[in-house]
Amino acid sequence: MQADDETLRSRRSDHLERANALVQTLAILAAGAWAVYTFIYEARIKPALEPPAVSVTTNLVRAGERDRHVAIRSTVTRKNVGQTGVRVLGLVYNVTGVRVRFDAVPGGKDALSGGKPAVDGAPADRTTPARAYGFTGPGEAILREGRLFAGATEMGGEPSDLNPGESVSRDLIVYADRDRFDFVRFEVSLAYSKGDDPPVLLTFETAPDGTLSLKPKADCRAEPQTCQRVKATDFATEFSLW
């Protein structure tokens, strides 16, 4: 009888050990599966869900002078600051020369305390805080340049993809007449989409003031999903010719 009890206890011990081993094995497998899922999620799934994000900066430097003309070197850098690959579709430069007038008298009717705005015909949602000067109109075009990359044109085009953290810079020399302008305004517009999204054809559009921009070739009312794939980043800065 005692032998039977010992045999029963031994069997129970074996069952417990096997169950414990099974639980430990399942725990190890679950932890491994979770680690694999977490790695795949962080490396593949999460980046794929993130929207594309590209920053644009422009560094302006006086490169030289000849007579009344000033050479300005513009270094434009585009950088993928998101977590997913980006396909750059196109970019546009708008460079405008602006003249300043100094016909307001401090403390007079054109001062900050009241009176007529410094810019005639300015829209109601904009103010000009300058106290003693104004601008003679929106400015005059010095340069309008646009470029379409692969995926945005039926002509093929050079590919311009950016991996997360990757950046590309381009130098551009602009010449401005300092006898005609007081400062130069540089505006850069960049159109892009996710790298794994279908490409979107773009076209150039010229505004009434001569400003160049990019827009999808598709009818956005009929194909809203196509236009929604195109994202844009704009950057503007100014450079004094004095």
Side-chain angles (χ1 to χ4, degrees):
M1 190 71 176
Q2 184 177 0
D4 292 341
D5 292 340
E6 291 179 354
T7 301
L8 182 59
R9 284 195 297 270
S10 177
R11 289 178 179 176
R12 289 177 178 174
S13 178
D14 290 341
H15 288 319
L16 290 174
E17 290 179 358
R18 291 177 182 177
N20 185 45
L22 179 60
V23 169
Q24 292 181 0
T25 301
L26 291 175
I28 293 173
L29 292 175
W34 177 254
V36 171
Y37 171 77
T38 302
F39 173 78
I40 294 176
Y41 176 79
E42 292 292 336
R44 299 288 181 86
I45 300 176
K46 185 178 179 180
L49 297 175
E50 292 289 331
V54 178
S55 68
V56 180
T57 57
T58 300
N59 182 42
L60 304 178
V61 177
R62 186 184 298 261
E65 298 182 24
R66 176 181 293 180
D67 299 326
R68 64 186 191 186
H69 293 94
V70 178
I72 306 169
R73 177 183 292 109
S74 169
T75 302
V76 179
T77 301
R78 54 185 185 269
K79 181 178 181 179
N80 184 347
V81 294
Q83 299 187 48
T84 185
V86 166
R87 175 189 290 117
V88 178
L89 298 170
L91 60 84
V92 164
Y93 296 93
N94 287 290
V95 184
T96 305
V98 182
R99 189 76 175 175
V100 180
R101 73 169 190 267
F102 297 89
D103 54 358
V105 179
K109 65 179 180 179
D110 289 339
L112 284 177
S113 58
K116 187 174 61 177
V119 180
D120 294 331
D125 62 347
R126 188 179 308 165
T127 61
T128 303
R131 183 178 180 88
Y133 64 88
F135 307 114
T136 57
E140 180 181 336
I142 294 178
L143 175 70
R144 300 284 188 260
E145 181 179 338
R147 185 173 183 183
L148 298 179
F149 296 102
T153 172
E154 296 170 338
M155 304 298 293
E158 177 185 346
S160 183
D161 298 338
L162 293 175
N163 295 317
E166 187 178 6
S167 63
V168 174
S169 296
R170 181 198 178 196
D171 282 352
L172 180 71
I173 299 292
V174 175
Y175 300 94
D177 187 342
R178 64 183 176 188
D179 287 351
R180 295 177 59 189
F181 309 117
D182 291 292
F183 68 89
V184 175
R185 180 181 298 119
F186 284 76
E187 298 172 292
V188 182
S189 181
L190 194 70
Y192 53 93
S193 65
K194 274 190 175 182
D196 54 1
D197 279 352
V200 180
L201 295 177
L202 301 180
T203 186
F204 297 112
E205 183 178 54
T206 303
D209 63 354
T211 303
L212 197 63
S213 62
L214 294 165
K215 72 170 188 175
K217 271 191 172 183
D219 184 347
C220 293
R221 289 177 295 182
E223 304 177 55
Q225 68 282 358
T226 299
C227 297
Q228 289 170 4
R229 293 202 301 268
V230 181
K231 309 300 180 183
T233 298
D234 300 322
F235 181 85
T237 187
E238 296 174 345
F239 184 86
S240 176
L241 299 178
W242 292 6

